[in-house]
Amino acid sequence: MPLIRAGTVVLGGRACRPGWVQIAGAQILACGDGAPPGQPDRDFPDCLVVPGFVDMHVHGGGGASYLDAERIGEAAAFHRRHGTTTTLASLVTAAPGPLIAGVRALADATRSGTIAGIHLEGPWLSTARCGAHDPAQMRDPEPAEIDEVLAAGEGTIRMVTLAPERPGSSEAIRRFTDAGVVVAVGHTDATYERTHQAIALGATVGTHLFNAMPPLHHRAPGPALALLEHPDVIVELIPDGVHVHPAAVHAVVRAAGPDRVAVITDAIAAAGCDDGAYRLGAVRIDVESGVARVHATSTIAGSTATMDQLFRTVSRLGPDADAALAAAVRMTSTTPARALGLQRVGALRAGYDANLVVLDRELRVAAVMTRGVWR
C-alpha cells in the first residue's frame, strides 16, 4: 500500500503542512495531516499534492481533437500530463450524422475509461451567439433527435449546453434531466427572465460565463446575472486572461464562491502546440500568440490553456495563500465533479479514486497519479 508524503497536501478544504496520502490499489485508503503513519514510499518535501483536475469542458489538446475518433486517447493523454485526471470531452455543433458518429466514438472512449463522459456543446444553440460554432448547423431541439442522441450515447452523455430561447428548449431540458443529463445554459441570447425559467426547469450550469452571451446591462441583465444569482447553479469560468478579465474572475469568485465556480479550459487541439491554422469542427481557427480565433475574425475560439496553468492563476486569488490554494482545489476539482454528479473524484478522501497531482514550488506538474498508477 504505497504511502505518499508531501510538504503540503490539500485535504478537507485546507492546506495541511505536511500531509500524507495512502493508496490501496486504485483508491485512496487514508490521508491525513502531519507525519505519515509509516515510512513514505514517495516523499515530496517541497511539493504540493492536490486532487487530479476535473475538466468539464474541453475539445482537445496536444494537436488532437475529441472530434477525431482515432485521436481521442491522444488528446486525453496530453491533458493528463497537465494534471487532468477526469475529462468530459466536448463536441461542437455538427450536422446530425457527424454528431451521432462523434457521440458513438466518445461513448466507446467513456466505456474504456479514457474519458469520463460526453458534453454536447450544441447544436441547439443561438446563431446570434454562435462563437466558434457553425451557425449553419444550429437547430431547434427536436424530440426525435434528442432520443437518437441519447440512444447513441447509452448513458455516457453527462452534460448538454443549449440556448433556452430556442423553440422546444423547455421540453428538451425536461427530456435531458429525466435522462440524468446535466443541462447547461450557454451560447444564448436569452433574457434574464427566460434564463430563470430554464433554471426552474432544471438547468444547473452556466457554460463559460460571459462568453457567447449578452453582456450584463443595468436595464437588461441577461443570462449572466440570472446564472450568478441562483444558488443552485454552477458557472464555468475560463481564467486564461483572454476570455474573462482578471477583475471579473475575482468578482465572480467573490460573489458566487469557489463552491459555485468550475474552472474549465475549453481547450482545442492547439493546446500545447505552436501558433498556426487549426479547425474546430467545420470552422477554421487561427492561433496567434497562443490565442485561438475564428479565421479572419476577432471571435475567440476556445483556448490553448491547460488545467495546471489555470490552477496557478486561481490559486493566487486572495491575500491568504492557504485559503487561496484550498479554493483553487475546489474550483478545479471538487466543484466540477459535483456539477457533473461524478462520484469518488474531485477530492483526496478515503474511498475516492487515487487521482492526484504533484506540483512543484512554481505549481508546475511534477507527477500525476490516475487510479493508483503514476503516469
Side-chain angles (χ1 to χ4, degrees):
M1 291 184 290
L3 183 60
I4 300 163
R5 177 196 176 277
T8 307
V9 182
V10 177
L11 301 170
R14 66 189 185 91
C16 301
R17 300 179 188 274
W20 55 273
V21 181
Q22 191 164 30
I23 310 299
Q27 293 188 328
I28 296 172
L29 177 66
C31 45
D33 191 357
Q39 183 66 30
D41 301 281
R42 295 290 297 269
D43 196 358
F44 301 98
D46 298 320
C47 293
L48 165 70
V49 171
V50 298
F53 304 132
V54 178
D55 193 351
M56 61 189 284
H57 187 156
V58 53
H59 299 278
S65 169
Y66 288 120
L67 296 170
D68 185 345
E70 302 301 318
R71 303 188 70 185
I72 293 169
E74 187 179 338
F78 167 79
H79 284 288
R80 186 169 58 244
R81 290 193 295 272
H82 288 273
T84 299
T85 56
T86 302
T87 294
L88 197 66
S90 300
L91 290 176
V92 293
T93 295
L99 177 67
I100 294 299
V103 168
R104 286 177 175 152
L106 289 176
D108 288 342
T110 303
R111 286 187 285 269
S112 72
T114 303
I115 59 173
I118 304 168
H119 165 218
L120 295 181
E121 190 181 15
W124 310 295
L125 309 176
S126 165
T127 55
R129 303 288 173 178
C130 61
H133 292 246
D134 183 359
Q137 295 298 339
M138 291 180 176
R139 50 198 182 266
D140 295 335
E142 298 287 347
E145 183 173 34
I146 292 172
D147 288 346
E148 186 178 8
V149 165
L150 289 172
E154 296 184 309
T156 62
I157 298 172
R158 286 199 169 268
M159 188 168 76
V160 170
T161 294
L162 54 75
E165 71 273 20
R166 291 203 78 116
S169 65
S170 294
E171 181 55 36
I173 293 171
R174 295 189 189 96
R175 178 72 183 91
F176 281 121
T177 55
D178 286 348
V181 177
V182 173
V183 173
V185 173
H187 284 274
T188 176
D189 213 28
T191 63
Y192 171 85
E193 292 78 13
R194 183 68 191 91
T195 305
H196 266 297
Q197 291 171 11
I199 295 168
L201 289 168
T204 55
V205 171
T207 294
H208 45 50
L209 188 71
F210 302 128
N211 295 109
M213 60 181 64
L216 193 152
H217 188 279
H218 59 286
R219 285 191 293 272
L225 184 60
L227 293 165
L228 273 173
E229 69 182 4
H230 199 287
D232 296 329
V233 171
I234 289 171
V235 294
E236 297 179 346
L237 273 184
I238 313 171
D240 62 349
V242 176
H243 284 77
V244 185
H245 191 283
V249 173
H250 279 255
V252 169
V253 174
R254 284 196 302 268
D259 291 327
R260 289 190 51 220
V261 174
V263 166
I264 62 164
T265 62
D266 197 12
I268 64 172
C273 299
D274 294 335
D275 288 356
Y278 296 86
R279 299 192 80 89
L280 184 60
V283 178
R284 294 169 62 192
I285 307 297
D286 296 328
V287 177
E288 184 175 345
S289 299
V291 179
R293 300 186 188 277
V294 175
H295 176 67
T297 76
S298 61
T299 301
I300 300 171
S303 88
T304 61
T306 54
M307 285 295 284
D308 58 327
Q309 170 193 337
L310 302 183
F311 181 90
R312 287 192 291 274
T313 297
V314 297
S315 68
R316 300 183 177 109
L317 297 179
D320 185 318
D322 283 358
L325 279 177
V329 165
R330 295 206 292 278
M331 291 187 283
T332 57
S333 299
T334 313
T335 300
R338 181 166 51 84
L340 298 172
L342 295 172
Q343 304 296 316
R344 300 190 307 276
V345 298
L348 299 177
R349 185 177 300 169
Y352 274 44
D353 288 351
N355 297 343
L356 58 85
V357 184
V358 181
L359 301 169
D360 65 17
R361 287 188 175 190
E362 285 72 45
L363 299 182
R364 298 189 181 278
V365 175
V368 178
M369 174 181 280
T370 305
R371 291 185 56 79
V373 178
W374 292 106
R375 304 290 183 175

